[in-house]
Amino acid sequence: MKLPHKLQFTKMHGAGNDFIVLDATREPLDLTAAQFRFLADRRFGIGADQILIVGPSPAEGIDFSYRIINADGGEVEQCGNGARCFARFVADHGLSSKTSIKVRTVSGVIEPHLQLDGRVTVDMGAPIFEPALVPFHSAGLQPHVVNDFELWPLTLVSHAVDVAVVSMGNPHAVLNIARLGWDDLDTAPVAELGPQIEGHTLFPKRVNAGFVQVLARDHIKLRVYERGAGETLACGSGACAAVVAGIRAGWLDSTVDVDTRGGRLTISWGGGHAPVMMTGPAVTVFEGTIDVPDLA
């Protein structure tokens, strides 16, 4: 289709992780990577960590399709905070009257559920630990085994670290800062180590780098350096990966409050092949229209 001169959008956030939401249920959107970068630009566009595209049902039994575009214009597989905003958007815009919906992403089907208190719970599916499926190149590496769970060594420019490798439909590397002798996440060198982990050659599709401080068995602090976005105020799939890794390593119980710089998420996992459940806020900030230039 020909790109409309004006594009309608909704600006939302989930615990400070902010999104531009576009409705493509009635007519497909044909935007280039450069146009997505323009929309996400905080000076010349609207500004966002990611752009969420709400699409029509792709198959029987599925309510919507869901695409996630990073601020750098690249498409990614999953975004947990975005999934909550997705569910709030379709409810608020009359696209569905259901309290639970099934949504197809690039990596599978998720099921957001609207809670009576305004928060949204998302069934994020079961975590994946097999390195090749994350994907992560583990050949030739000797993992550190903690509570029968593998932590994989990474050599960075100035540090040697070990990380839990988890997929929540998208790849995550989780680092417990206590294993490096750090006791304060606020002063941890996330800006230095985050990009080194994100672009490490052992992760062929890059990776989201999560930095965890364990406060109690049911409470952690988390900062995440996301692929294609840098450090964000919150990362829903990163919170899921951090809790799952902490449970497997024996650091955490089955339900954990995760404090991010943008707010609190609650993550529950029963272990094994059980799905990870994430609960948190989804807030509309404003709506509007924007002129989108013709960018190749």
Side-chain angles (χ1 to χ4, degrees), residues 129 143-152 245 247-251:
F129 300 103
H144 302 111
V145 179
V146 178
N147 196 44
D148 201 32
F149 181 54
E150 295 172 328
L151 301 179
W152 296 94
I247 292 171
R248 285 290 307 271
W251 303 323

Side-chain angles (χ1 to χ4, degrees), residues 226-244:
E226 295 195 47
R227 287 184 305 173
E231 185 177 3
T232 57
L233 291 181
C235 176
S237 61
C240 294
V243 170
V244 163

Side-chain angles (χ1 to χ4, degrees), residues 56-271:
S57 169
E60 185 177 353
I62 304 297
D63 296 296
F64 298 96
S65 63
Y66 170 33
R67 294 177 60 204
I68 307 115
I69 312 297
N70 269 345
D72 65 359
E75 186 166 359
V76 293
E77 307 93 337
Q78 184 62 282
C79 177
N81 287 325
R84 297 198 314 278
C85 290
F86 187 108
R88 173 59 58 200
F89 177 91
V90 300
D92 291 351
H93 286 76
L95 299 178
S96 176
S97 60
K98 299 178 179 179
T99 56
S100 293
I101 57 175
K102 291 187 176 182
V103 181
R104 172 81 67 184
T105 71
V106 172
S107 60
V109 176
I110 58 173
E111 297 186 41
H113 176 79
L114 299 174
Q115 302 286 356
L116 293 177
D117 63 4
R119 296 187 302 166
V120 181
T121 296
V122 183
D123 178 339
M124 294 289 287
I128 296 170
F129 300 103
E130 185 177 339
L133 299 180
V134 172
F136 173 68
H137 294 319
S138 62
L141 297 179
Q142 183 63 46
H144 302 111
V145 179
V146 178
N147 196 44
D148 201 32
F149 181 54
E150 295 172 328
L151 301 179
W152 296 94
L154 292 183
T155 300
L156 307 179
V157 173
S158 56
H159 294 81
V161 302
D162 52 16
V163 298
V165 175
V166 184
S167 173
M168 288 302 312
N170 56 346
H172 291 271
V174 180
L175 186 157
N176 184 340
I177 66 167
R179 292 182 62 84
L180 286 173
W182 302 331
D183 59 6
D184 184 359
L185 185 62
D186 291 334
T187 59
V190 173
E192 175 191 352
L193 301 188
Q196 294 180 47
I197 297 174
E198 178 208 13
H200 200 285
T201 57
L202 294 180
F203 294 97
K205 293 187 177 181
R206 297 187 295 166
V207 72
N208 300 291
F211 297 78
V212 175
Q213 180 181 355
V214 177
L215 302 176
R217 293 192 62 83
D218 62 353
H219 191 193
I220 66 172
K221 291 175 68 174
L222 175 70
R223 294 172 63 184
V224 179
Y225 193 96
E226 295 195 47
R227 287 184 305 173
E231 185 177 3
T232 57
L233 291 181
C235 176
S237 61
C240 294
V243 170
V244 163
I247 292 171
R248 285 290 307 271
W251 303 323
L252 300 174
D253 292 334
S254 60
T255 298
V256 179
D257 285 333
V258 180
D259 287 341
T260 72
R261 288 188 159 185
R264 174 169 289 186
L265 306 174
T266 301
I267 310 297
S268 297
W269 183 51

